[in-house]
Amino acid sequence: MTESIPLSLQAFPKENNDKQSISYLIQRINDQKGSFRSITEESLEAEIQAGGPNGIDREDAIVEPTEEGEDGKQKEEDLSKAREEILKQIFQAKNESAQALDFVSLLLTTYSSGPAQSSMSPYLKQNLPLGILAGEVSQASRVSDADKLKQGLTSIGWRMHSLNKSVDTLLHSASRLEEEMERETRYWEQILAIKERGWSISRLPRERHTLAVRYGFAEAHADFRDRGLAALRRDAEGNVSLDRGIKSGGDRKLRVRILHQGEPIGSSMRGPHNGSEEAAVEKEILDARNSIFDEELHQELHREARSNLTNQGVRVVGSRVIIPYEADKQVELDLVPLEDNSDQSSTDGDFVANTIAISLRILLTRAHRQNLRNRSNMPPPLREQKPPRRIYDLLKPIVEWLQHRSNLEAVQNDLQQLKTILAAAQIYLSFDFQSNLTMIPNSEDKVASSKTLENLLESLIAPIESKVELRVLIGSPINIVIHTALQHYGTSFQISLEDPPNTGLEFPMYARCPDLPSLRTHLLNIISLMILQNLLLSARPSKVPWRAVNQNQSSIMRNRTAGWRDREMVSINVSLREIVLSWEREGYLDESSVWAWPREALGTEGEQESLLDVFKRL
């Protein structure tokens, strides 16, 4: 109760009894005199007689009660009585106000008992029944009947307006709820369709209330694996919107172009995924997956080109990777926007470009599988230094394939040209090719099984080898083996001959050629020897002592009829342009002693004899 009384009505504070305690006095003496050892009765008497340290006389040391002290006590008593009187009046006013409140509340219970009971005191509720008081208006109302009617109509109008507004609000809320249900239904139907397509749906790590789809590759590098997650948000119409974050710079694709003297003659074909209107979200997810896959592929191609393939002529120019192809062609690899259709016209080089593009994607898939196998195996012991990031062999099989394809086409062209030239001299040449040069199928073809895919991958990375078997006339078969492996310094050629007849000619039974020109030289030399062998077999029935002289693998026959001196000499020279037969007698050679096939080599026209007929006539 004293806490609610104002400060002006509270009593004066009493004296502090603690100041009269022994401990307080001892502390005060120590502060004034220092210690009890230096205090004696004589020193206290002398201090009192001298007036003390504070100039107090002995007579003043004893304080006697005065009239002013009695007046102070009287005033304190008067104030205490006044305080009690004020508190009594305050309590009386409070009691009267509570009684007035109970009176009004009891009166109101006649008309509305609910709100009135909340303000009644408990004593009144227990001792008096409700509604026992009533009131009347002693003066009549001044409002006329017309005004009362007008007020009633106004009240009814406002009530109808409020009811109509409430109905409109409820109808609007119902329509809005119906639209929200339609949007929510459409959103979850599309989410379910994405799930049924096989995509992995999960919660977004930092937004647990948001769904996300994982379209990236678990075995990709961390920079690309972390970007393979996108939120599936709902737009204003209820459709699923793919939110790939701020790192997405648009979908891109790997473009492979075949350049001839700087001009494109072929390009890989892969544009945006074609999908129906209902599968717009899936189309966007597929484009995002292909884009992130091609971006990782482009980065790995750059790493491999800078590290392992500089000795093969592979160059990195800005964002492009350039691979040499044939004599005057190049293969260019770069990243372009997905909507780029600048090179979509069909040309002859599209097959090679599409083959390279599909092969690179298959090889990166194989690298991902190897990462999965390595991660599934027992990990190696821990080391102080972190193992370096592995460089995938992606361009190496492509470079091998291009080199082998180029050399194989060159050998085919040489043999076809040689066949045409020999046919002009009525010398028949036949050849047969056997190669493991894998041609990657089109993207529309489906792989039958995982074993077929594994075999395809192994054939892509295995060394490439092709074999050619050719026959000239009735001679022994000539075998040519073309082997390409970058770890064995590129492409090598092997040429061999099986069991030639004993005609005095020394055939090169086996030769390893480091390049294509040396292979041409050995092949033309063996064919010349084959033709010479056939001429010797046709001349044996005659009694002309023709002998083949093999000097530095030259195709020469001599007629030794005068002892050691050569009377006649026939030489054969085979090239990719012509076959020349020359006859020399006693060191003399004129234009009439030279025959060439085809006839256009000598600039003459008309029917031409075969080489065997010319030799028999000689």
Side-chain angles (χ1 to χ4, degrees):
M1 182 63 69
T2 56
E3 295 179 357
S4 62
I5 298 175
L7 182 62
S8 61
L9 300 179
Q10 294 182 6
F12 285 102
K14 299 180 180 180
E15 292 184 2
N16 191 358
N17 297 326
D18 294 338
K19 294 184 179 181
Q20 304 298 328
S21 62
I22 297 297
S23 60
Y24 176 76
L25 294 176
I26 292 174
Q27 181 67 29
R28 187 174 178 182
I29 293 171
N30 287 331
D31 293 339
Q32 291 179 359
K33 302 299 181 179
S35 176
F36 283 95
R37 293 179 181 179
S38 58
I39 300 175
T40 60
E41 185 177 357
E42 291 79 8
S43 63
L44 291 177
E45 288 291 339
E47 185 177 347
I48 292 172
Q49 292 177 1
N54 297 325
I56 302 175
D57 296 336
R58 181 180 179 84
E59 291 79 6
D60 299 333
I62 300 174
V63 179
E64 294 181 357
T66 60
E67 294 181 359
E68 294 180 357
E70 293 178 357
D71 294 341
K73 290 182 179 180
Q74 186 65 31
K75 289 181 180 181
E76 183 179 353
E77 291 177 359
D78 295 341
L79 287 175
S80 178
K81 292 179 180 180
R83 169 179 170 274
E84 292 177 358
E85 184 67 24
I86 291 174
L87 289 176
K88 185 186 297 183
Q89 294 178 2
I90 290 174
F91 293 150
Q92 184 178 358
K94 181 179 179 182
N95 187 24
E96 290 178 356
S97 62
Q99 291 178 0
L101 179 62
D102 287 342
F103 175 78
V104 175
S105 300
L106 185 60
L107 181 62
L108 291 176
T109 55
T110 306
Y111 307 100
S112 178
S113 61
Q117 291 184 16
S118 61
S119 59
M120 292 175 63
S121 63
Y123 177 81
L124 188 62
K125 290 180 182 179
Q126 294 176 2
N127 296 282
L128 292 177
L130 301 179
I132 62 175
L133 291 179
E136 294 180 357
V137 180
S138 59
Q139 186 176 1
S141 177
R142 296 180 181 179
V143 181
S144 62
D145 295 338
D147 293 337
K148 291 181 178 179
L149 180 60
K150 186 177 179 180
Q151 291 178 0
L153 294 176
T154 303
S155 177
I156 293 173
W158 276 109
R159 289 181 182 179
M160 292 181 63
H161 176 72
S162 299
L163 290 175
N164 292 332
K165 188 175 180 180
S166 300
V167 171
D168 294 339
T169 303
L170 290 175
L171 291 176
H172 178 70
S173 300
S175 61
R176 185 171 57 84
L177 181 60
E178 185 179 0
E179 293 176 357
E180 183 69 18
M181 290 176 60
E182 291 178 356
R183 289 193 292 266
E184 195 72 14
T185 302
R186 188 181 302 113
Y187 172 77
W188 286 107
E189 285 178 353
Q190 295 182 8
I191 292 291
L192 183 60
I194 295 173
K195 179 68 176 178
E196 291 175 351
R197 291 284 186 176
W199 298 101
S200 176
I201 304 294
S202 62
R203 293 183 182 271
L204 203 61
R206 296 185 179 180
E207 300 180 22
R208 303 300 298 174
H209 62 282
T210 304
L211 293 179
V213 57
R214 182 169 296 280
Y215 57 84
F217 299 86
E219 304 305 325
H221 191 256
D223 296 341
F224 300 95
R225 182 181 63 247
D226 298 339
R227 290 171 50 193
L229 186 68
L232 297 174
R233 305 190 186 277
R234 197 189 73 177
D235 59 7
E237 297 180 357
N239 297 319
V240 176
S241 175
L242 193 67
D243 185 7
R244 297 164 60 183
I246 59 176
K247 290 185 178 181
S248 176
D251 294 331
R252 294 186 290 179
K253 64 179 179 179
L254 181 71
R255 181 179 63 178
V256 181
R257 295 196 300 175
I258 309 299
L259 304 180
H260 178 67
Q261 297 179 356
E263 296 296 329
I265 60 173
S267 178
S268 58
M269 303 288 185
R270 188 179 77 81
H273 175 74
N274 296 325
S276 60
E277 196 68 28
E278 292 77 15
V281 180
E282 185 183 1
K283 168 184 173 299
E284 189 175 358
I285 295 174
L286 287 173
D287 290 341
R289 182 200 64 179
N290 296 336
S291 176
I292 198 172
F293 185 83
D294 283 359
E295 289 178 17
E296 182 188 8
L297 177 59
H298 184 257
Q299 185 186 84
E300 295 298 334
L301 293 178
H302 273 254
R303 295 180 65 243
E304 184 184 9
R306 289 192 180 100
S307 302
N308 300 339
L309 298 176
T310 54
N311 59 342
Q312 299 295 329
V314 179
R315 298 181 293 118
V316 177
V317 181
S319 62
R320 300 175 300 157
V321 178
I322 299 177
I323 306 173
Y325 175 47
E326 295 183 354
D328 52 354
K329 296 180 182 179
Q330 293 176 337
V331 177
E332 182 185 74
L333 309 172
D334 60 348
L335 271 181
V336 296
L338 190 61
E339 296 78 12
D340 186 5
N341 297 323
S342 57
D343 298 325
Q344 293 299 318
S345 57
S346 179
T347 56
D348 296 337
D350 291 345
F351 174 76
V352 177
N354 285 322
T355 301
I356 295 174
I358 298 174
S359 301
L360 288 173
R361 295 184 178 103
I362 293 176
L363 289 171
L364 183 58
T365 304
R366 172 182 173 272
H368 287 172
R369 289 195 174 191
Q370 287 182 341
N371 292 341
L372 178 60
R373 293 192 187 99
N374 296 336
R375 195 160 56 88
S376 303
N377 297 332
M378 184 177 294
L382 295 178
R383 300 179 181 178
E384 295 182 359
Q385 295 182 354
K386 186 178 180 180
R389 180 179 169 187
R390 186 168 65 94
I391 297 178
Y392 303 144
D393 290 334
L394 305 177
L395 283 176
K396 174 179 168 293
I398 301 300
V399 174
E400 291 179 351
W401 186 80
L402 291 175
Q403 287 186 3
H404 194 88
R405 177 185 173 89
S406 177
N407 291 318
L408 188 61
E409 289 181 353
V411 172
Q412 284 179 325
N413 294 334
D414 290 348
L415 293 180
Q416 190 64 37
Q417 187 176 359
L418 189 60
K419 182 179 180 179
T420 303
I421 294 173
L422 293 178
Q426 298 184 11
I427 300 175
Y428 300 102
L429 172 69
S430 62
F431 53 87
D432 182 26
F433 280 87
Q434 295 180 358
S435 176
N436 66 342
L437 185 63
T438 305
M439 298 297 181
I440 305 301
N442 295 328
S443 58
E444 298 178 356
D445 297 340
K446 297 182 179 179
V447 180
S449 62
S450 59
K451 184 177 181 181
T452 306
L453 181 59
E454 292 293 336
N455 295 335
L456 177 61
L457 293 175
E458 292 299 327
S459 64
L460 280 176
I461 63 175
I464 307 174
E465 185 175 279
S466 299
K467 297 180 180 180
V468 185
E469 181 179 350
L470 64 147
R471 292 178 179 271
V472 180
L473 296 173
I474 59 173
S476 301
I478 304 173
N479 297 321
I480 300 175
V481 179
I482 306 172
H483 183 84
T484 302
L486 294 186
Q487 63 266 28
H488 297 151
Y489 308 103
T491 303
S492 62
F493 305 88
Q494 301 175 9
I495 185 169
S496 59
L497 188 64
E498 297 181 3
D499 300 331
N502 186 12
T503 55
L505 297 176
E506 295 181 4
F507 284 87
M509 300 298 296
Y510 176 83
R512 181 184 293 273
C513 306
D515 51 17
L516 193 58
S518 60
L519 174 66
R520 291 193 186 103
T521 302
H522 281 78
L523 180 61
L524 293 176
N525 181 41
I526 291 177
I527 292 177
S528 300
L529 293 175
M530 287 284 188
I531 297 173
L532 185 61
Q533 170 185 292
N534 188 63
L535 294 179
L536 287 175
L537 293 177
S538 63
R540 284 295 170 84
S542 63
K543 297 182 180 180
V544 180
W546 288 96
R547 296 291 184 270
V549 180
N550 194 346
Q551 297 178 351
N552 297 328
Q553 297 182 350
S554 60
S555 304
I556 300 174
M557 287 193 305
R558 292 179 177 177
N559 185 5
R560 297 177 177 272
T561 56
W564 59 271
R565 187 175 180 181
D566 297 335
R567 295 295 184 183
E568 294 178 340
M569 182 177 67
V570 176
S571 63
I572 299 174
N573 184 17
V574 180
S575 66
L576 295 178
R577 296 187 304 272
E578 60 183 2
I579 301 176
V580 179
L581 174 65
S582 59
W583 176 57
E584 182 179 353
R585 186 173 184 180
E586 295 183 355
Y588 177 74
L589 179 66
D590 57 6
E591 295 181 358
S592 60
S593 303
V594 177
W595 292 264
W597 291 267
R599 183 179 291 275
E600 290 79 7
L602 292 177
T604 58
E605 298 179 357
E607 188 178 355
Q608 191 174 12
E609 295 180 286
S610 66
L611 187 145
L612 184 59
D613 294 340
V614 172
F615 181 75
K616 288 181 178 179
R617 184 160 50 83
L618 292 176

